[in-house]
Amino acid sequence: MKKFVKPLIAALVLTATSAAMAQQAGPKPEQIIKWRQSVYQVLAWNNGRIKNNVEGTYNEDEVIRAANAIAALANSGLGALYPAGTETGKGWRETTVKPELFTDTAKAGEAAKKFNVEANELAKVAATGDAAAVKVQFGKLGQTCKGCHDDFRNK
């Protein structure tokens, strides 16, 4: 039995040390906030592209590209950009996320799910080329954005 105790202790120490080192090697909260803010800037840019098309001259290819970009970001696992420790701090600017996003995880998860569903539906509708249907679906996506901002974003 003694033969196994020392190797077992060594293995446990090595595992604990490796885990501690992995945590230290991860990105700093400021970097994660920058990534998060950057993703939302790209989402805003693509939303603007669609808005300009449904309110002006409709360019089907432009709308499809923008809708696909939004869906790709929605499906990319955005929740990973909200780890504990990023409730406050500065990325490119001070974060505007409300602490409730980190405490009301059920509500935040439901908001994320709605966004994913509507973003994926927008990509499907955009592929049809039906400008009127895109406008309707774009409105539905916008409502998910507004709902999340109302609940989880400081003004």
Side-chain angles (χ1 to χ4, degrees):
M1 186 77 169
K2 285 185 178 182
K3 283 174 123 177
F4 298 106
V5 173
K6 283 186 180 180
L8 179 61
I9 291 173
L12 289 173
V13 169
L14 180 60
T15 301
T17 303
S18 296
M21 289 176 65
Q23 286 177 351
Q24 291 174 358
K28 293 182 179 184
E30 296 81 19
Q31 182 60 56
I32 295 170
I33 294 169
K34 280 184 179 180
W35 291 335
R36 183 167 71 211
Q37 291 170 343
S38 296
V39 166
Y40 287 104
Q41 286 300 308
V42 173
L43 285 169
W45 173 57
N46 283 289
N47 276 310
R49 292 167 66 193
I50 294 172
K51 182 179 180 186
N52 289 337
N53 276 276
V54 297
E55 292 179 353
T57 303
Y58 192 82
N59 179 322
E60 183 179 341
D61 291 335
E62 177 80 3
V63 171
I64 290 170
R65 284 191 298 271
N68 286 339
I70 291 167
L73 290 170
N75 293 308
S76 68
L78 293 175
L81 296 175
Y82 293 92
T86 64
E87 303 88 327
T88 60
K90 186 173 183 175
W92 301 111
R93 63 187 183 291
E94 287 297 322
T95 185
T96 57
V97 68
K98 288 182 179 177
E100 292 83 0
L101 185 130
F102 297 88
T103 57
D104 194 347
T105 55
K107 189 174 184 179
E110 186 59 33
K113 182 179 176 184
K114 286 178 184 176
F115 174 70
N116 285 15
V117 167
E118 300 303 343
N120 286 314
E121 187 61 25
L122 178 61
K124 288 178 192 172
V125 171
T128 70
D130 183 342
V134 167
K135 187 172 186 174
V136 169
Q137 185 57 36
F138 182 63
K140 290 178 182 179
L141 177 69
Q143 287 303 307
T144 69
C145 297
K146 182 184 180 323
C148 194
H149 285 198
D150 289 348
D151 293 339
F152 299 115
R153 185 177 184 201
N154 291 313
K155 304 213 181 324

